[in-house]
Amino acid sequence: MRTGRRATTVSMAALATALGLTGLTGLASAPATAVTLTDASTPSALTGMWAWGNPIDPATDARGTGDAAFEPAALAAFASAHRLQTVYLSVPWAADQGEFATWLPAAVSALHGAGVTTVAALGGDPAWATQPELAATWTRTALATAPFDAIQFDVEPWVGATDDQLPGIVAQLGTMYDTAAQAAGGVPVGADLPWWLQAKAQPGGSGTLFQTLLPHLDSVAIVAFSDHADGDDGIVALARPAAAAASAAGLPFSVGVETDSPQVAGGAGATFGDDTAAVLEAQTAIVRSELSGLTGYRGVTVEHLLSWQALLAR
């Protein structure tokens, strides 16, 4: 079994339409405002990243991706340069076997040495939603392999689901989070959740599907992929309801943005991947300005290391 980032192939506009959300169909086409930072000394709003990949040679281990950017020293240098506080580091199945057993503890220790306060083991197999014991096994192995500070799940079983299926899926996820939390033995468990779950009412009028999952978690990364902060289809409008719900529940939260290619992200309006690093900084600074007043705000998290580096290199 292998964990890894699943490419999104549906545009945000199509997703909004499919979910019955109105006023958001401009997501695929709305351009990012070409704003640049005026003060280079201004601290970045970007405080975390998803790090999908590893430096292991795929010729020696099928789980390897062979990305040099994931060598411990390289990870630490990037995290230090960008003053990151949180890194979600992808962990495969059977992390205690092969070269992963050496690389993972070295990578986590290097990130800690670079000032990262939370290095979370990141996993995302959709099958775990219906087989929570697998999530528990993965959790125990990850924590036994390296000194992770937290567990982070990116499990998305709602892809292709209908509205009437969502409550059952959310219930499965709640069970999965609880099962993993038991295996984690007190290590915090967080999850990536899409903004639109807050727009879906729980049957019976007991809040939203997003709110239903919060008691099962210790933190949440609110995925709100758009390439601009303002407007009805901007990051702030998408993320604010979920952010307010997380804040009211006393949960730390971050807001996730995308830097991968439009082809992977589901359209140009869903990613900064076809913009510039300056636009990314400027737009996320607006997000910070608008949402940082909420208790529990922990900054903006970037999806993902390699595409962010490619954006910076342009």
Side-chain angles (χ1 to χ4, degrees):
M1 187 180 300
R2 178 178 177 180
T3 60
R5 181 166 181 261
R6 178 188 48 76
T8 303
T9 57
V10 180
S11 73
M12 289 292 287
L15 176 60
T17 301
L19 291 171
L21 303 175
T22 59
L24 300 173
T25 55
L27 279 168
S29 57
T33 305
V35 180
T36 57
L37 296 176
T38 56
D39 183 357
S41 67
T42 302
S44 174
L46 307 175
T47 61
M49 69 177 175
W50 284 275
W52 294 103
N54 59 73
I56 310 303
D57 187 348
T60 61
D61 189 322
R63 300 170 297 170
T65 61
D67 297 312
F70 288 84
E71 292 289 354
L75 274 174
F78 187 84
S80 177
H82 293 276
R83 301 179 183 179
L84 299 183
Q85 300 168 15
T86 302
V87 172
Y88 302 139
L89 184 62
S90 62
V91 175
W93 186 259
D96 58 345
Q97 298 178 16
E99 295 179 62
F100 284 93
T102 301
W103 167 66
L104 281 168
V108 174
S109 296
L111 287 167
H112 284 153
V116 178
T117 55
T118 301
V119 184
L122 173 63
D125 192 322
W128 295 349
T130 55
Q131 297 176 285
E133 68 280 0
L134 295 181
T137 298
W138 172 85
T139 296
R140 280 190 291 267
T141 304
L143 293 177
T145 303
F148 286 105
D149 306 293
I151 297 293
Q152 186 75 10
F153 287 109
D154 182 50
V155 178
E156 306 176 43
W158 38 69
V159 175
T162 59
D163 271 9
D164 62 336
Q165 294 173 321
L166 289 175
I169 289 171
V170 164
Q172 290 174 343
L173 280 179
T175 298
M176 187 201 79
Y177 297 148
D178 290 345
T179 304
Q182 290 180 349
V187 174
V189 172
D192 307 338
L193 295 178
W195 60 270
W196 53 261
L197 275 181
Q198 178 61 15
K200 295 295 180 181
Q202 176 74 297
S206 54
T208 69
L209 295 181
F210 183 86
Q211 291 170 311
T212 297
L213 288 174
L214 297 182
H216 303 276
L217 297 169
D218 297 300
S219 66
V220 61
I222 300 167
V223 179
F225 290 171
S226 176
D227 70 345
H228 51 285
D230 293 328
D232 292 342
D233 57 358
I235 301 165
V236 173
L238 297 182
R240 191 192 297 277
S247 181
L251 247 65
F253 69 92
S254 65
V255 177
V257 298
E258 176 68 277
T259 60
D260 216 325
S261 68
Q263 292 73 26
V264 171
T271 180
F272 290 97
D274 58 345
D275 297 309
T276 66
V279 170
L280 171 65
E281 291 285 355
Q283 294 300 307
T284 53
I286 296 172
V287 174
R288 176 179 58 192
S289 175
E290 293 291 329
L291 299 181
S292 61
L294 290 171
T295 302
Y297 174 81
R298 295 293 184 270
V300 177
T301 305
V302 179
E303 174 82 303
H304 55 92
L305 170 61
L306 296 179
S307 57
W308 186 11
Q309 288 179 329
L311 183 67
L312 289 164
R314 288 210 301 267

